[in-house]
Amino acid sequence: MSALPDFAAIEAMDEVDGLRAMRDRFILPKGLIYLDGNSLGVASHAAFAALHKAATEEWGQDLIRSWNTAGWFDMPLALGDRVGRLIGAAAGQTVVCDTTSVNIYKTLHAAMALRPDRSVIVSEGGSFPTDIYMAEGVVSTRPGTSLRLEGVDAPAIEELINSDVAVVLVNHVNYKSGELRDMAALTRKAHEHGALIIWDLCHTAGALPVDLDGANVDFAVGCTYKYLNGGPGAPAFIYAAERYHGDISQPLSGWWGHARPFAFEKHYAAGQGIRRFLCGTQPILSLRALKGALDIWDEVDMEALRAKSLGLTDLFIALVEARCGAYGLELESPRDRAKRGSQVSFSHPNAYAIMQALIASGVIGDFRAPSTIRFGFTPLYVSYMDVWNAVVILEDILRTGSWQDARFAVRSAVT
């Protein structure tokens, strides 16, 4: 951004914003600037309507009949295809189910089973911790298997991939810095060495265009409660390229993944295709809320979404550095917009207290230990004026030192 815009220029940006009308589809509390959609997306009117119908009509009136009449049983596959459209996956390759952690466990086991002569999992030392925890869990169940971590065993993940590696588990966007990896290039690198790759799309799905099929990705996992606005604890998803569907084997062989679930057979027989990743009964009310949330996405141009995301994050970086740079904030996110997801992070020795002061002043972002303040920009409901006002408040907190109030130093259990 060459010249710093003024208030009038910010107003003009919002006037010509092609996604501006989408803001009215969401429930935004008055007096609040919400820049934490990369942790939990806001509710939409459509999600509430779908949840209300599911609770009062489908459950409340039709009861068990709704497994058939309301299509409950097939929702993981139907919603999977809708998520698949947003991540560049052809129909039949994505299923909505369980949690990201559980799905990482399942896909790691599936990938290891497809490479039985290999014994190494590669991941990132700077990954969101659940990815590492689940990889450690898989290693603990497979004697002779080991885990290599970027930043621990080598500076770059590419240096860790060789003929011993069965699978690479990697985040498309880093949860703390917002750095965006080159999906196509790293996938090619893994394949050159005969390894498979699992992409974690938790900070990608609904934030920018993804082309899993085009990048020849093997597997992917992700959540739906961030940029997709599915609600707290909304079910996650798994993508598996069709070329593996006949050979998928994963250890959580629950009845929903059975070829004939209502035959109640004594022994497990895997179902067809992506259904093999299903395990137990899925949370229907959460799935219904997600269905409502996804209705909005039928109207969203992903390229337009990405363009606004870059505009918002570029503006935020420029304003913060111009107005708050003298107070010790250091940019942690990539300055190059092509290498940045839809979030911006700054570091500061007193990051926790600064973020608590921001939240008390009506600007919701979040803190990541040890010293990161993190802001997520959801283009469907964040405006350019939100960015301007958030920086004005941040500058005031830093200039006046109001963050030094003792109440902002007390850490809660969830931060």
Side-chain angles (χ1 to χ4, degrees), residues 282-298:
Q282 296 302 306
I284 297 303
L285 295 183
S286 291
L287 287 171
R288 270 292 188 243
L290 176 60
K291 180 183 181 297
L294 291 176
D295 286 346
I296 293 172
W297 290 92
D298 293 338

Side-chain angles (χ1 to χ4, degrees), residues 40 47 54 239 268 312 341 380:
L40 175 65
Y239 161 91
Y268 186 74
L312 291 168
L380 297 187

Side-chain angles (χ1 to χ4, degrees), residues 330-376:
E330 296 289 339
L331 181 66
E332 286 190 346
S333 298
R335 193 172 299 279
D336 181 353
R337 60 185 352 223
K339 297 180 180 179
R340 187 171 67 236
S342 200
Q343 69 182 62
V344 175
S345 298
F346 285 89
S347 64
H348 191 281
N350 303 107
Y352 180 83
I354 291 169
M355 180 52 68
Q356 297 314 301
L358 274 168
I359 292 171
S361 299
V363 179
I364 310 295
D366 63 26
F367 163 79
R368 289 293 177 261
S371 58
T372 298
I373 53 174
R374 190 180 71 156
F375 304 87

